[in-house]
Amino acid sequence: MNDQITRRDWLIGGGIAAGTMMTSNIAFGQTFPDAITNPSMQTPIRCGANENVYGPSIKAQQAMDKAAKQAHLYNFRAGGQLKAVIAKMENIPEDHIAAASGSSPFLEKAAYVARMDGGAILAPNPTYNSVMSVGEQIGAEIIRVPVGDDLAINLDAMRAAITDKVKLIYLCNPNNPIPTIIEKNALKDFCIEMSKKAIVLIDEAYYEYADSPDYQTMAELVKDHQNIIVTRTASKIHAMAGIRVGFAFAHPETLKLITAPFDLSMNYMAQMGAIVSYQDTEYQDFIRQKNKQSLDILYNVFDEFGLEYIKSQTNFTFFNAKRPSTEINSFLRENGIMGSRPFRPFTDWVRISTAKPEEMIYVADVLRKAFS
C-alpha cells in the first residue's frame, strides 16, 4: 500500500464521474461549502467524526446571525421556545424535555447518578463510550456485553449480564461505531422491563438518519415510565457539532437528576438556530438523500472487493478491512482523508463517515488503491 493515489488519477478517473454527480451549489435556497477537490493532510476530506459536512441549513444560519445582535443580553425565553417546538414535534409534554449544549451533559451526568447510587453501568461493546469513560473516571463498575455474531446489540445477553448493582443501562440506537439498530418491539419490551430495575438510557444521536421499518424512537416511553431517558443531538443531521445543542426526554423527576436547576450554559444563538433547524424538514431530507448517495459509493467498493460491511442506519458505515484498521487509516490520511481510530475488539474493522458524494468518489478511488 505504498502507492498513493495521485490528484491526476482522480481528475482523469473518479473526478470525471464526480462531475456528473455535481448538483447545483444552491439547493432549496441553500449555499453549501464547496467540495474539497484537492485533498491533502492539511485540508483533508473529513471521514472520521460522523459530521454533516454541508453545515447548518441557511435558515438556521440566518436565525443565528440575527440572534448574534442580541447575544450581549440575557434571554430566558429562548429555551422555552425551543422546548415548545420539540414538544410539538415529538408529542411529549414540555416538562418531560430538557435542552443543553449537546447531549454530552446528559450522558455524563447519568454516569454520575449511577455512581452516586453505588451502582454499576451496563453497556454493549463496542458502543459510543462517553458514559462509560466518565463512569470509569469516577470509579463506577462498567459491565460490557459483546455485540452478537451479527454485530448488533444483543438484548438477551444484556439481560443475562444485569446484576443487582446495575443502576444504569446504556444503549446507543442506532449504535456507534457499528451502525446497526435494535428492532423496535424488542427494544420497547426491554426498556419497559429493565426500567423496573435500573435507569435505561437510549442515546438516539443518529435518530434522523434511520429509515428502517424496524427502527423506532423510544421517546414516547418517557411519558409512562420514570426510569427511561432518551437523548438526542443536533450535532449530526443538523450540522451543529460545534454549536452544541442537545436534548433529553424523561419524566420530570428523572430530569432533575441530569439537569441543573438554573442552567445558562446553552447560548442564545444556538437555541435560535435549533428552533429553525428542527423545523426545516426540507434541508433534513436533502442531507438524507446525499448521505444515501455517499453510502452507496462506499458499498460499491466493498462489494467490488468482497469486503464484509454493515448496511448503515447512520451517516457512517463499518467494514472489515481484513488487516489492521490503523494501516487503512494511515493510508487514507496520506491521501488527504481523515479517518477514524481503532475500535476494540474489532481492530480489523474500519469506521468511515460520509462526506459529499463528489468527495466520496475520491475516497472510493483511494480505497480501491488500498485493496488492489
Side-chain angles (χ1 to χ4, degrees):
M1 289 202 322
N2 292 326
D3 263 354
Q4 293 185 14
I5 190 166
T6 66
R7 310 295 175 242
R8 183 174 181 275
D9 289 334
W10 183 42
L11 291 171
I12 293 176
I16 293 174
T20 66
M21 290 188 59
M22 284 282 190
T23 58
S24 169
N25 272 351
I26 298 176
F28 314 126
Q30 172 84 47
T31 300
F32 299 114
D34 291 334
I36 297 173
T37 56
N38 191 30
S40 68
M41 294 181 71
Q42 290 71 41
T43 56
I45 295 173
R46 297 176 65 90
C47 292
N50 303 346
E51 299 157 322
N52 176 351
V53 296
Y54 285 92
S57 80
I58 190 66
K59 293 177 182 177
Q61 291 180 46
Q62 290 169 346
M64 289 185 284
D65 288 343
K66 182 178 179 181
K69 296 180 174 66
Q70 295 182 322
H72 60 296
L73 304 174
Y74 290 113
N75 192 306
F76 302 111
R77 290 185 177 182
Q81 292 171 338
L82 177 56
K83 286 200 292 184
V85 167
I86 301 302
K88 184 177 180 180
M89 289 174 57
E90 299 294 335
N91 190 30
I92 292 174
E94 289 182 44
D95 64 355
H96 285 58
I97 302 171
S101 53
S103 59
S104 295
F106 303 121
L107 301 178
E108 293 168 3
K109 286 177 183 175
Y112 277 94
V113 169
R115 180 68 182 94
M116 285 189 297
D117 207 12
I121 299 171
L122 177 69
N125 186 47
T127 194
Y128 183 62
N129 207 42
S130 176
V131 171
M132 284 65 71
S133 292
V134 173
E136 287 172 334
Q137 188 176 38
I138 61 178
E141 178 187 356
I142 310 298
I143 302 172
R144 300 179 189 272
V145 179
V147 296
D149 293 338
D150 58 355
L151 303 193
I153 293 172
N154 187 331
L155 293 182
D156 288 336
M158 295 282 289
R159 279 189 181 90
I162 197 167
T163 69
D164 291 339
K165 288 186 66 178
V166 171
K167 301 300 180 184
L168 177 67
I169 301 170
Y170 173 78
L171 295 170
C172 188
N173 187 44
N175 198 15
N176 172 25
I178 308 176
T180 55
I181 59 169
I182 307 172
E183 196 277 328
K184 59 188 179 185
N185 295 313
L187 179 57
K188 182 177 180 180
D189 291 345
F190 179 90
C191 289
I192 294 172
E193 175 191 354
M194 293 297 110
S195 67
K196 298 172 184 175
K197 302 179 180 182
I199 291 176
V200 182
L201 171 55
I202 306 99
D203 180 351
E204 295 183 347
Y206 300 93
Y207 158 76
E208 290 91 348
Y209 285 105
D211 62 358
S212 168
D214 290 329
Y215 180 83
Q216 183 177 307
T217 177
M218 293 295 113
E220 185 79 10
L221 295 182
V222 306
K223 292 191 286 190
D224 298 316
H225 302 279
Q226 187 165 335
N227 270 358
I228 295 176
I229 302 171
V230 174
T231 59
R232 300 262 184 88
T233 180
S235 294
K236 304 307 175 183
I237 202 167
H238 295 278
M240 293 186 170
I243 297 168
R244 312 307 301 145
V245 177
F247 302 94
F249 306 115
H251 186 279
E253 291 302 311
T254 305
L255 283 180
K256 289 178 183 179
L257 300 175
I258 57 172
T259 58
F262 188 66
D263 186 1
L264 291 178
S265 64
M266 192 175 180
N267 78 71
Y268 176 55
M269 290 176 289
Q271 291 170 325
M272 298 310 291
I275 287 171
V276 173
S277 187
Y278 273 83
Q279 298 177 86
D280 191 352
T281 56
E282 196 172 39
Y283 171 77
Q284 294 169 49
D285 288 342
F286 173 76
I287 295 301
R288 279 187 282 266
Q289 175 193 14
K290 290 300 176 185
N291 183 62
K292 286 182 179 180
Q293 291 175 8
S294 293
L295 285 171
D296 284 342
I297 291 168
L298 290 172
Y299 296 160
N300 287 338
V301 176
F302 304 150
D303 289 337
E304 183 179 334
F305 288 92
L307 300 173
E308 184 182 3
Y309 64 97
I310 301 297
K311 284 275 190 174
S312 179
Q313 290 291 306
T314 66
N315 63 341
F316 61 90
T317 188
F318 199 56
F319 74 95
N320 188 352
K322 300 179 182 177
R323 64 188 72 165
S325 61
T326 51
E327 186 179 331
I328 297 298
N329 282 315
S330 292
F331 189 71
L332 292 175
R333 186 168 58 252
E334 291 164 5
N335 285 279
I337 301 165
M338 185 183 81
S340 190
R341 67 184 189 280
F343 294 95
R344 293 187 177 89
F346 296 93
T347 52
D348 283 357
W349 287 69
V350 178
R351 189 190 75 182
I352 188 163
S353 311
T354 58
K356 298 182 177 73
E358 50 269 38
E359 293 170 339
M360 296 311 294
I361 289 175
Y362 174 78
V363 174
D365 284 346
V366 172
L367 287 172
R368 287 188 176 94
K369 205 85 166 180
F371 290 104
S372 41

